[in-house]
DNA sequence: AATTTATATCGTAATATTGCAATATTAAAG
DNA sequence: CTTTAATATTGCAATATTACGATATAAATT
């Protein structure tokens, strides 16, 4: 016990859960927002933007990368990180779809 | 150590992280999708829809409720759960905004 | 009142996450 | 080749999450 029972859910459900889970930490939200703000891949200085130690930031970056939300490529001495637009679009569509369905809802209980 | 350092991030970042974290489990994604599918508040049978034991489902429902994603009201013998449309709209706007910003991006590295 | 039904809570084991100091790695600069 | 700079990995302590059996609660049914 203790581990998530992913095998009982659909691939899509697991995919969305993986993405939202990866975003489920303020530091990782901050990283994503920073990458969007600078409007370019960023080589370095992500650590200086966050109130966390370097190994911690590195770990958060790794999780975002594992989930596919960011891409990183070695750029000489440092690493170049940037948002994967396709994945963000997937989330945007997912929540857009939910909102559409909810506004079409006929029933008005609660 | 071990606890998230929420105090170092903005309220908005913490709010979005709380919502995405709550959705960061396939069972909770499945619950939300089911509530949308049935197009009404649901009194009962959420447990039967999921491949998890009743206390586990109850716990997941509690987390969704704590995050504000669903609302629940006592309906006689059972409980009536439904999606909070406002909160879903907030997520939809957040990711819509990100997608807009990303598509306006001039830089094409990575 | 006793039983059934639906849901919540408690307790607990297994596992995962968070955070960081210490250390490793690797490329650029001197 | 040594040093510096940027990032990753390791190891570990603190804490959180996941899952469920057992039990509690509370309204509906008999």
């Amino acid at each position: 016990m203790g581990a998530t029972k992913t095998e009982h859910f659909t691939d899509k459900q697991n995919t969305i859960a993986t993405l939202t889970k990866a975003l489920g930490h303020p530091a990782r939200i901050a990283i994503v927002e920073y990458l969007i703000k600078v409007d370019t891949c960023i080589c370095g200085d992500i650590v200086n933007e966050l109130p966390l130690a370097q190994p911690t930031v590195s770990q958060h970056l790794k999780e975002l990368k594992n989930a596919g939300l960011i891409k990183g490529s070695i750029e000489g001495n440092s690493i170049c990180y940037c948002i994967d637009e396709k994945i963000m679009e997937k989330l945007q569509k997912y929540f857009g779809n939910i909102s559409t369905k909810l506004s079409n809802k006929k029933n008005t209980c609660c």
Side-chain angles (χ1 to χ4, degrees), chain A:
Chain A
M1 300 155 212
T4 297
K5 294 190 160 182
T6 51
E7 67 276 15
H8 295 309
F9 301 96
T10 69
D11 284 354
K12 202 187 171 187
Q13 285 168 341
N14 282 314
T15 300
I16 296 293
T18 299
L19 294 176
T20 49
K21 187 179 182 182
L23 289 172
H25 190 289
R28 296 195 288 268
I29 291 288
I31 289 171
V32 165
E33 290 182 349
Y34 182 67
L35 285 175
I36 291 166
K37 194 185 98 186
V38 295
D39 192 35
T40 177
C41 303
I42 200 72
C43 307
D45 77 15
I46 290 183
V47 171
N48 307 316
E49 289 294 320
L50 292 173
L52 296 167
Q54 180 269 322
T56 309
V57 174
S58 187
Q59 195 175 262
H60 283 306
L61 285 166
K62 195 178 175 184
E63 272 172 72
L64 286 171
K65 201 177 172 187
N66 283 344
L69 285 158
I70 64 173
K71 292 178 289 187
S73 54
I74 294 163
E75 195 78 18
N77 195 15
S78 56
I79 294 241
C80 173
Y81 278 116
C82 62
I83 303 262
D84 187 320
E85 300 183 34
K86 286 262 166 67
I87 303 279
M88 279 295 171
E89 210 179 321
K90 185 181 271 186
L91 281 171
Q92 185 250 309
K93 277 179 184 163
Y94 185 78
F95 288 108
N97 200 251
I98 284 179
S99 278
T100 305
K101 279 180 183 163
L102 287 175
S103 57
N104 288 339
K105 212 176 101 169
K106 293 173 197 81
N107 219 302
T108 50
C109 50
C110 294

